[in-house]
Amino acid sequence: VHELASRYGIPRTSGPLSLHARASGRLDDLTVRAKIASARLAQKELRVSGLRADIDLSHVDVRRMPGPAVGKAEVHVDSIVKGGTSYGNGHVIASVSDGGRRADVRFNSGGRDGIGARGALSARLEPDGARVIFRAPAARAYHPPRGVRTFLPAAVAPRAT
């Protein structure tokens, strides 16, 4: 992983990585399917375990990346830890359509013991620039387990009902 990451300017990353890819077609119109897996990856204080990704793209033009490619990707991670903070698991579903001009991404992270986030975004290339819409579900009040104290400022902490 380190050699691949350094080639693309990604900070030092270590861990085993399995990549199985298949491509067919002309170089200006490839269909690509890939599966990526890793038991664990590390980058500075960030640790990811149980990575599994499936990628399925068509109309890939290797000379005009990302170009008119369309397709989808799905990524699962069993555990995300940075420093001493656990962020639980993660799941991302992404698709590219309209000749590479539209991207939709949905994400869900966090588990019972982790800090979590959920939401979606849509991006579309327009003649005058890009339009991005971010959607997040309505916030729900956090109710800590019995005996657990929160340290949020009064203006942020949810009110007991």
Side-chain angles (χ1 to χ4, degrees):
V1 171
H2 173 67
E3 291 174 22
L4 183 64
S6 63
R7 176 172 286 149
Y8 292 100
I10 299 170
R12 184 172 174 82
T13 304
S14 63
L17 184 69
S18 169
L19 168 65
H20 297 277
R22 184 173 26 160
S24 62
R26 298 185 326 260
L27 289 177
D28 63 345
D29 190 19
L30 283 175
T31 296
V32 179
R33 289 188 175 85
K35 290 187 178 289
I36 301 169
S38 178
R40 66 192 173 288
L41 291 174
Q43 185 183 82
K44 296 185 181 181
E45 293 183 16
L46 179 65
R47 307 278 183 260
V48 174
S49 65
L51 168 70
R52 298 170 310 282
D54 291 308
I55 302 166
D56 189 359
L57 297 172
S58 59
H59 306 298
V60 175
D61 183 344
V62 296
R63 295 171 296 196
R64 295 185 349 173
M65 294 297 286
V70 297
K72 61 185 178 177
E74 188 163 0
V75 180
H76 297 271
V77 177
D78 292 336
S79 173
I80 305 166
V81 177
K82 184 169 184 185
T85 304
S86 170
Y87 294 92
N89 59 14
H91 184 205
V92 176
I93 298 173
S95 65
V96 178
S97 58
D98 193 17
R101 300 185 58 74
R102 179 183 173 95
D104 294 290
V105 178
R106 293 181 311 189
F107 60 92
N108 189 0
S109 70
R112 169 169 268 169
D113 299 327
I115 297 170
R118 178 176 28 191
L121 70 84
S122 295
R124 178 158 178 80
L125 294 176
E126 303 282 347
D128 59 343
R131 179 176 179 205
V132 178
I133 299 170
F134 180 81
R135 297 178 306 276
R140 290 184 275 168
Y142 169 70
H143 300 284
R146 185 181 304 263
V148 174
R149 295 178 55 194
T150 61
F151 297 96
L152 296 173
V156 176
R159 292 195 174 113
T161 54

